[in-house]
Amino acid sequence: MTEVHTAEADPPWEGLRGPELFEACLHAAREGDKRGLDRLVADLTPLVWNVARGQGLDKHTAEDVVQTVWLALLSHLETLREPKALAGWLVTTARHESLRVNGRKAPPLPLTDEMAETVPSTLPAPEAEALRTERDRRIWVAFSKLSQRCQELLRLTVLAGRAEYRVVAEALHMPRGSIGPNRGRCLKTMRELLDIEGGSA
């Protein structure tokens, strides 16, 4: 009874962080310890969610992708070669699943004049909506011109926030201390691209 209580109080990943934590949790999950998988889901679901949303998925579709990714991990639980690289595996799987799901989505319908007339008055005025649409278009044009590395970094850090830097560092194979400076450079480049886009409009 004492041993069981101790095991419950002090899981094998106690005191670990980052890749070592994920590796220990994965090994525990493989041995049937549900707490290991629960800890992985709690720590890494925000990362998977942000990757899905970063691919342009709506909230409901992103939730489906998150569930699919965790089911994929369960099916590969015994065969994952590099437990320490779990965060990277989840990012890659989430990206692939998001692209697959995105390919099935019907293209958005254009807003016709007839449809615009039926828009309730509580929504933004057409002029404001047009400005917002143009702003969003410029942002995504500028974003698409960034390097793949910058796009990945901004998707994860802008949405996940500083609390997830250690997970982002593992997922992108970057030193944690370099994430902030690189993020700043990427944002600076994006602002410059936005200025160019705005000036040429």
Side-chain angles (χ1 to χ4, degrees):
M1 181 68 69
T2 302
E3 290 182 0
V4 172
H5 177 75
T6 302
E8 288 293 328
D10 299 311
W13 54 85
E14 189 71 26
L16 298 178
R17 295 175 64 85
E20 288 73 23
L21 169 66
F22 304 146
E23 181 180 33
C25 289
L26 190 62
H27 283 312
R30 284 174 173 173
E31 294 170 2
D33 189 340
K34 184 176 180 294
R35 295 174 304 159
L37 186 61
D38 288 345
R39 178 62 186 269
L40 289 176
V41 170
D43 278 20
L44 293 171
T45 287
L47 178 67
V48 179
W49 166 262
N50 288 321
V51 171
R53 291 288 276 171
Q55 295 293 328
L57 302 184
D58 58 46
K59 181 179 178 182
H60 177 72
T61 308
E63 288 172 350
D64 289 342
V65 166
V66 170
Q67 183 176 20
T68 300
V69 169
W70 285 114
L71 289 174
L73 176 63
L74 284 175
S75 67
H76 290 83
L77 203 58
E78 301 297 332
T79 57
L80 201 63
R81 294 181 180 179
E82 296 292 339
K84 285 186 178 181
L86 176 61
W89 185 90
L90 290 171
V91 166
T92 300
T93 305
R95 187 186 304 117
H96 288 169
E97 178 62 17
S98 298
L99 291 173
R100 186 184 70 80
V101 171
N102 232 346
R104 296 204 311 257
K105 292 172 64 179
L109 292 173
L111 182 65
T112 64
D113 291 340
E114 292 78 9
M115 292 168 62
E117 290 176 0
T118 66
V119 175
S121 59
T122 53
L123 293 180
E127 296 82 0
E129 185 65 13
L131 289 173
R132 185 191 67 79
T133 300
E134 175 59 16
R135 182 205 64 196
D136 289 351
R137 183 196 68 79
R138 288 176 54 229
I139 287 174
W140 285 112
V141 166
F143 184 83
S144 69
K145 291 179 180 178
L146 294 173
S147 67
Q148 187 65 32
R149 189 71 163 172
C150 272
Q151 290 186 29
E152 291 288 343
L153 185 58
L154 292 182
R155 278 195 185 106
L156 297 180
T157 57
V158 170
L159 293 174
R162 290 185 176 275
E164 298 298 327
Y165 270 21
R166 61 183 179 81
V167 178
V168 174
E170 165 61 16
L172 298 182
H173 307 290
M174 294 174 63
R176 183 175 175 179
S178 72
I179 291 178
N182 276 289
R183 177 178 180 271
R185 283 191 288 272
C186 291
L187 287 172
K188 180 175 182 292
T189 300
M190 188 167 174
R191 281 193 293 269
E192 292 170 349
L193 289 169
L194 276 170
D195 289 341
I196 295 172
E197 177 71 14
S200 61

